[in-house]
Amino acid sequence: VQLQASGGGLVQAGGSQRLSCAASGRTLRDYGVGWFRQAPGKEREFVASIAWIGGIADYADSVKGRFTISRDNARNTVYLQMNSLKPEDTALYYCAAGASWVRSTSGYSYWGRGTQVTVSS
């Protein structure tokens, strides 16, 4: 499966942005999907994930209550709605697909290229 993340850009603190992760090659319905981010000089970190069935979601504590992950299986796309953005949310955001929906990067077999999110103060 090939993944394409999009929707990044520059936004002011307190603003909102929606990222999309579009899949091709196979249906995303068969996979758990995670969003990760990596800021300069830091390790890639878990943001949110959604199970392949039931829409069960998991969030990092740093984004809980502000970000929402969802999936549209008809469009073969997973979204990350980001509200109340903070400068510390600035990072390159990646989506990934795998057999599970864990917090570890090792749980995902397929990765898309990142999309940059920059939050200005």
Side-chain angles (χ1 to χ4, degrees), residues 13-17 37 45 47 59-69 80-90 93 119:
S16 298
Q17 206 156 31
R37 66 187 182 186
E45 66 173 2
V47 176
Y59 298 93
D61 287 345
S62 59
V63 306
K64 196 172 294 183
R66 300 188 297 123
F67 291 11
T68 302
I69 189 171
L80 184 69
Q81 177 66 44
M82 306 184 296
N83 299 327
S84 302
L85 282 162
K86 305 175 181 180
E88 51 263 44
D89 294 318
T90 295
Y93 282 71
V119 184

Side-chain angles (χ1 to χ4, degrees), residues 40-116:
K42 295 187 177 181
E43 292 187 354
R44 192 169 299 188
E45 66 173 2
F46 169 79
V47 176
S49 63
I50 189 165
W52 63 277
I53 190 170
I56 300 170
D58 186 25
Y59 298 93
D61 287 345
S62 59
V63 306
K64 196 172 294 183
R66 300 188 297 123
F67 291 11
T68 302
I69 189 171
S70 62
R71 62 193 308 156
D72 184 339
N73 288 333
R75 296 181 182 272
N76 222 22
T77 301
V78 170
Y79 302 100
L80 184 69
Q81 177 66 44
M82 306 184 296
N83 299 327
S84 302
L85 282 162
K86 305 175 181 180
E88 51 263 44
D89 294 318
T90 295
L92 192 59
Y93 282 71
Y94 298 89
C95 63
S100 186
W101 48 292
V102 296
R103 296 188 172 200
S104 171
T105 57
S106 62
Y108 298 88
S109 302
Y110 306 98
W111 290 82
R113 291 185 177 183
T115 183
Q116 178 69 37

